[in-house]
Amino acid sequence: MKNLLLPLGLAAALPLSAFADVTVYGKASVSFQSTDEAGDTTTEVVSNASRIGVKGSESLSDDLKAIYKFEFEVQIDDGDKNGETFTQRNIYAGLQSKTKGTVIIGKFDTPLKVAQKKIDLFSDLEGDIKSILTKNENRESNSLMYSSPKAWGAVKASVAYIAKEDDAVDDGTSMSIAYSEGGIYAALAYDQNVEAEDAEVLRLVTQLNFGALQLGALYEDQDAGSSSLLDGDAWMLSAKYKLGKLALKVQLGESDTSKSGAETFSVGADYILSKQTKIYTYYTHEEADSMLDDNDYAGVGIELKF
Amino acid sequence: MKLNVLLLALSLGISSNSWAEEECEFAVDMSDSHDFEDFHNCEQVTSGLNQLLKGLADGEKKSPLQATSKAPATKLAPQKDTLELAKPERKNAILLRHQAPDSLDAQRLELLVQMTEACPQGFSIEAEEYRPRANHAFLLTYQYRCL
């Protein structure tokens, strides 16, 4: 309770100008799920990356503004994650110029992770590509990143430097370049020393929109170098079709980089109740050479954005 | 007056693309991208806590000189107790996109309904502002005060 009161107390003590251009945002996403994992079947309530954040900015000149974001995950099923009520997601402060781009410092998703855009149709659910297809969906601490401005048009580039803060470990680099025009999106991304020292990852992503139909594809090649990661590649295909308030989704993929011989597929549907709220259902199957039993998940949930 | 505002809004030349809708999607959706300009420039201050925060900030930004120079202050002064006078100005905002005239009217009506919900006893509109956005779109905001 004291923890809850502290932010309110701080807020009350702040001058009103501190609230200028502050926006509170987030989402609650929770599902009721049947889980068949490693031979054990359970029924769970699962919080699917529910989160709350604040963002804001201060104009420094016509072209320059200071920006910040604090975003935390909230476990609305159990109330805590490893004893923490709020766990850190993307948090940064930085400077933004309309003509020169944006520089931020903090903890945030790598450019390689963000390059997937929205082709992972089961993101934050059990079918998320990070579950079994890839180990490179990273949110790195101690990062500094430059992103190109919108003035560049259809092309966007991002480069992040990740300080490992250990003299014995090489610092990491993550970068991406993406093209987005009309219904076409394509991105190329590269990580070095991010998930592990000496490991390199190349990722290709494309998303195509044909009216109500969205198609996505991802290919990833991982060179483990001298690290304990696996050499290999991974791919994933996804499709979503909007039918009025209903969206039907299917996704499948294979990988040798996260687990040897990993395969997964998911099917699901979203039903839009309002601009803010939807209900969803999903089924995900996972298997891999190293897994004695397949994993199956089926659930129904609700998501509310604010 | 209404016709003039309508013509002004339509003559602002808004292209028929969907960028505005995408740009102003929910902050939580934009948050996962690295489109920092969209994320930090888009107005999501239309209701609830965010509207309150914006109202508080806007209230403090006004200097005493500005406050006294505004005609509505004298209009509101009688019969209002201190608590009511301390109410922040509030805003409803909407991004004007390319649209038919009746569509614009519908959006304006939607804002009026929101203000009515916030002020069951009625309200006075103190300002109608158009702020330029990218691609020749405009953000329409109302400043209003409950009666």
Side-chain angles (χ1 to χ4, degrees):
Chain A
M1 188 64 185
K2 281 181 181 172
N3 284 341
L4 286 175
L5 289 175
L6 183 60
L8 293 175
L10 287 173
L14 288 170
L16 292 180
S17 56
F19 294 120
D21 295 319
V22 176
T23 300
V24 180
Y25 67 91
K27 74 172 183 182
S29 178
V30 64
S31 57
F32 192 68
Q33 177 176 293
S34 172
T35 301
D36 181 356
E37 208 167 44
D40 294 329
T41 304
T42 54
T43 301
E44 300 178 279
V45 174
V46 187
S47 178
N48 301 306
S50 300
R51 67 198 73 157
I52 185 166
V54 292
K55 63 161 186 163
S57 62
E58 183 193 17
S59 185
L60 303 174
S61 70
D62 285 346
D63 184 50
L64 192 66
K65 62 165 64 175
I67 57 173
Y68 67 86
K69 179 171 82 169
F70 292 78
E71 189 177 291
F72 297 89
E73 183 173 348
V74 185
Q75 301 298 319
I76 60 174
D77 54 343
D78 298 326
D80 72 283
K81 186 177 187 179
N82 303 323
E84 300 289 334
T85 304
F86 299 102
T87 46
Q88 189 172 337
R89 285 177 55 89
N90 291 302
I91 295 191
Y92 61 74
L95 293 171
Q96 180 183 92
S97 159
K98 290 174 191 169
T99 55
K100 297 178 179 62
T102 302
V103 175
I104 59 170
I105 307 174
K107 173 176 182 169
F108 39 81
D109 296 341
T110 63
L112 184 133
K113 178 183 178 185
V114 173
Q116 65 146 295
K117 206 164 186 253
K118 293 180 178 177
I119 69 160
D120 184 358
L121 303 176
F122 294 85
S123 181
D124 298 333
L125 301 174
E126 298 290 356
D128 193 311
I129 61 171
K130 71 184 176 192
S131 293
I132 199 168
L133 290 180
T134 177
K135 283 183 172 289
N136 300 302
E137 292 285 288
N138 290 308
R139 179 174 298 129
E140 291 293 312
S141 302
N142 310 307
S143 295
L144 181 151
M145 183 173 74
Y146 167 79
S147 283
S148 63
K150 272 186 96 172
W152 282 20
V155 176
K156 184 169 189 63
S158 295
V159 183
Y161 181 85
I162 299 144
K164 297 293 185 179
E165 298 189 345
D166 185 341
D167 189 41
V169 180
D170 289 341
D171 291 340
T173 308
S174 180
M175 59 188 77
S176 69
I177 184 161
Y179 173 87
S180 182
E181 185 72 43
I184 299 172
Y185 171 82
L188 172 67
Y190 173 76
D191 269 10
Q192 184 180 44
N193 303 325
V194 177
E195 172 61 17
E197 188 177 23
D198 206 31
E200 293 179 86
V201 180
L202 186 69
R203 175 180 282 190
L204 293 162
V205 181
T206 187
Q207 179 181 311
L208 304 171
N209 290 72
F210 305 100
L213 179 65
Q214 175 191 309
L215 300 175
L218 179 150
Y219 174 79
E220 191 172 282
D221 182 63
Q222 181 170 285
D223 179 355
S226 59
S227 75
S228 59
L229 298 177
L230 298 172
D231 282 323
D233 57 9
W235 60 264
M236 183 274 279
L237 299 172
S238 68
K240 179 166 81 171
Y241 187 72
K242 289 181 183 173
L243 210 61
K245 291 184 173 181
L246 189 67
L248 304 173
K249 305 183 295 183
V250 61
Q251 184 165 301
L252 70 158
E254 291 185 7
S255 173
D256 289 314
T257 61
S258 181
K259 287 185 169 72
S260 180
E263 295 179 21
T264 181
F265 75 87
S266 299
V267 292
D270 297 342
Y271 185 79
I272 307 298
L273 295 176
S274 74
K275 190 180 174 187
Q276 288 180 260
T277 307
K278 71 176 182 184
I279 53 174
Y280 55 87
T281 184
Y282 56 90
Y283 167 77
T284 292
H285 172 84
E286 293 175 351
E287 60 182 79
D289 293 346
S290 59
M291 292 164 56
L292 295 177
D293 291 294
D294 299 349
N295 294 337
D296 293 282
Y297 309 90
V300 59
I302 184 168
E303 179 182 281
L304 192 154
K305 296 171 185 172
F306 57 93
Chain B
M1 171 66 181
K2 185 180 173 186
L3 181 63
N4 287 342
V5 172
L6 184 63
L7 290 174
L8 172 66
L10 292 175
S11 65
L12 293 175
I14 301 152
S15 60
S16 61
N17 52 36
S18 62
W19 73 272
E21 255 181 318
E22 289 170 10
E23 190 174 56
C24 281
E25 61 183 335
F26 281 98
V28 70
D29 292 328
M30 288 192 287
S31 174
D32 286 339
S33 74
H34 281 168
D35 293 329
F36 299 104
E37 285 173 69
D38 288 350
F39 183 64
H40 284 285
N41 292 343
C42 196
E43 286 267 0
Q44 281 122 355
V45 187
T46 55
S47 62
L49 179 60
N50 289 324
Q51 188 185 37
L52 178 65
L53 291 173
K54 189 75 175 175
L56 288 170
D58 287 348
E60 193 194 52
K61 278 177 188 170
K62 287 192 171 180
S63 71
L65 182 61
Q66 284 173 315
T68 53
S69 66
K70 277 214 160 190
T74 54
K75 188 176 74 180
L76 293 170
Q79 297 120 6
K80 300 283 179 189
D81 61 34
T82 314
L83 186 63
E84 253 188 308
L85 284 174
K87 273 186 180 176
E89 284 191 349
R90 305 167 75 174
K91 288 184 179 180
N92 274 329
I94 194 162
L95 195 67
L96 294 176
R97 299 182 293 274
H98 183 68
Q99 56 214 300
D102 56 341
S103 164
L104 180 63
D105 274 346
Q107 292 188 26
R108 186 170 280 114
L109 180 63
E110 187 183 324
L111 296 183
L112 294 175
V113 169
Q114 287 178 27
M115 288 185 273
T116 306
E117 288 172 355
C119 307
Q121 304 300 317
F123 56 88
S124 64
I125 292 176
E126 299 187 352
E128 180 172 303
E129 299 169 353
Y130 292 83
R131 296 179 189 173
R133 288 293 184 265
N135 285 19
H136 309 296
F138 277 77
L139 184 76
L140 164 65
T141 62
Y142 282 125
Q143 285 190 16
Y144 66 100
R145 189 181 294 274
C146 293
L147 298 178

